Amino acid sequence: VTPALDVLLHDAQAALERATSDAVAADYDAMSAVLDVATERLAFAWRAVGHLNAVADTPELRAAFTDNLARVTEFHTRLGADERLYRKFKAIHAGAAAAGLSPARRQALANAMRDFVLGGAELQGAARERHAQILARLADQSQQFSQHVLDATDGFACFASEAELAGVPADVVEAARAAAQADGREGCKLTLQ
């Protein structure tokens, strides 16, 4: 996870620097070609890591997710509040070419403008720093909550008699019986898994 994120974060940061430079015009297609590919690759990979962390919880994966959460959050916080990028998007939004965009692209541009405002792009000084701190804390608290949910899910078991499982498919009852026996218990072990 970490070596892949090292590459993806580097690529996304390089794309941000290129998109905000004079080398890329304030043009919807030009900006999208430079920035969207790199940031979407990062987001896609991070979603996959988050999904695996939620469904295949292991100490190693949990540690990798936790170790990289701050880096990914920090990049997305910077991206959403980058004044240079916001200026270019405002120029695109105000330009005559915006009216010629397809309805889907106009909506994507409107969403980007909204996201910049929500991401703190218009904040200055201490308010911007506070916004970034709040986002970092929210990401950390969300991860802790998710870990507690996973731990509680993994730790829960209900032992029931076969009579209480009347109507449940036989293969499920057999698996539950085997799980109880593996724990040295009578009856059937039902978990949230």
Side-chain angles (χ1 to χ4, degrees), residues 106-171:
R106 276 196 312 271
Q107 185 61 52
L109 181 57
N111 290 348
M113 297 303 291
R114 176 205 61 210
D115 292 347
F116 276 112
V117 172
L118 295 176
E122 294 184 348
L123 298 174
Q124 299 297 319
R128 179 180 283 240
E129 290 174 24
R130 178 74 176 129
H131 185 261
Q133 291 169 351
I134 289 169
L135 291 178
R137 184 158 189 255
L138 177 61
D140 182 57
Q141 294 289 309
S142 295
Q143 172 57 12
Q144 287 184 33
F145 177 80
S146 294
Q147 287 178 352
H148 292 312
V149 169
L150 285 171
D151 291 343
T153 299
D154 290 342
F156 177 82
C158 174
F159 291 87
S161 68
E162 289 191 37
E164 291 173 303
L165 298 180
V168 173
D171 62 324

Side-chain angles (χ1 to χ4, degrees), residues 5 8 40-50:
L5 286 172
L8 293 168
E40 185 54 33
R41 285 181 68 216
L42 172 62
F44 181 82
W46 188 243
R47 283 190 304 268
V49 172

Side-chain angles (χ1 to χ4, degrees), residues 24-136:
V24 178
D27 172 78
Y28 185 89
D29 290 331
M31 295 289 290
S32 180
V34 171
L35 193 58
D36 290 352
V37 172
T39 56
E40 185 54 33
R41 285 181 68 216
L42 172 62
F44 181 82
W46 188 243
R47 283 190 304 268
V49 172
H51 176 73
L52 286 173
N53 186 51
V55 299
D57 184 36
T58 65
E60 297 81 13
L61 186 55
R62 184 181 284 197
F65 183 86
T66 302
D67 291 346
N68 287 287
L69 177 63
R71 295 186 327 142
V72 173
T73 301
E74 189 270 334
F75 173 77
H76 283 292
T77 300
R78 271 190 301 108
L79 179 71
D82 191 289
E83 292 177 18
R84 304 164 302 166
L85 189 60
Y86 185 40
R87 270 194 306 275
K88 280 201 170 181
F89 271 89
K90 283 197 296 192
I92 294 168
H93 190 258
L101 294 174
S102 69
R105 286 181 171 195
R106 276 196 312 271
Q107 185 61 52
L109 181 57
N111 290 348
M113 297 303 291
R114 176 205 61 210
D115 292 347
F116 276 112
V117 172
L118 295 176
E122 294 184 348
L123 298 174
Q124 299 297 319
R128 179 180 283 240
E129 290 174 24
R130 178 74 176 129
H131 185 261
Q133 291 169 351
I134 289 169
L135 291 178

